[in-house]
Amino acid sequence: MLGRLGARMVAPRSTCTMWHRAFRDSSSAGRGAVVGSRSSSRSHWGGGRPMQTGVTMAVPTLPCNVRRMSASSTEGSCTTSVSVLPSGARVTQYPATGHTAMPWRNGGGVTHEIAVDPAVSSTLSEAPFRWRLSMAELEGCGPFSEIPGVDRIIVVLEGLGIELGVNGGAPVPLQRHVPFSFPADVPTSITMAPGGGRDLNLMWDRTTTSAAVTVLAAGGISSIVSPLAIAIALDGPVSINLDGEMFRINDLDALRLDGVQTLTAVDGPVYLALIT
């Protein structure tokens, strides 16, 4: 459920035998509170059914998967909800129950696609999409698929002892909720302790698109400098302030933010991807 609160309220581990090679998906790079990479271009994805009690929110019910949307086409079926803020910014909710499940190319697990811009935006690029955000189930150790022309940022949600070896380098330990960024077109492998895990993966065409990821703790504030951002609730229901308007979303629900300038994780944590 998507909701505004307050004066304007809207309801709105085992042995390493399986490979973490997602269907055109896996992880991403660099370490720290914020990581990212550069370029430029745009995309769209859209619209469940929110509850409205204020006067500033428009609530069209849209056929989904506007999550998979280029400038000229949509596909799939489900619903999302759209809110229009007083500033004119748009907030589109994607419930976690609507994330699209896809098998890994090696058949060893499942990736849940949250959103994608499938447009191939440059004749010079071999990337299969402009950007893609997904959640992968980690089942064990093995190599990632290599994706030409793509950069990645991975954020571990669950799992112990997860390490990535990138392009022959020493294994890098990945910490929970800490973004790690690396090129998707170099040899990369994962090792982890028994028990499995999950991660969020943002990938983008480096020739046309820029992206960065941060994870905000409770009380964290971020200025949004990109025309498009995606926020995801981590560790249960979260209240988020967007340009002075309060929203409440459930664990792993996603919000697409078009034109929003400031996000506050009121009772965090919140995953925030910035895409240009």
Side-chain angles (χ1 to χ4, degrees), residues 44-67:
H44 304 278
W45 42 299
R49 187 178 297 164
M51 178 175 71
Q52 176 182 355
T53 61
V55 294
T56 61
M57 177 169 155
V59 190
T61 298
L62 304 176
C64 186
N65 204 336
V66 186
R67 299 179 189 213

Side-chain angles (χ1 to χ4, degrees), residues 3 18 27 47 59-61 95 98 112 114 124 128 149 151 156 159 171 189 201 221 232 247 261:
M18 280 192 172
S27 323
V59 190
T61 298
H112 303 273
I114 299 169
L124 301 178
D151 286 329
V156 172
S189 61
N201 300 283
I221 301 174
I232 299 176
F247 292 81
Q261 297 182 347

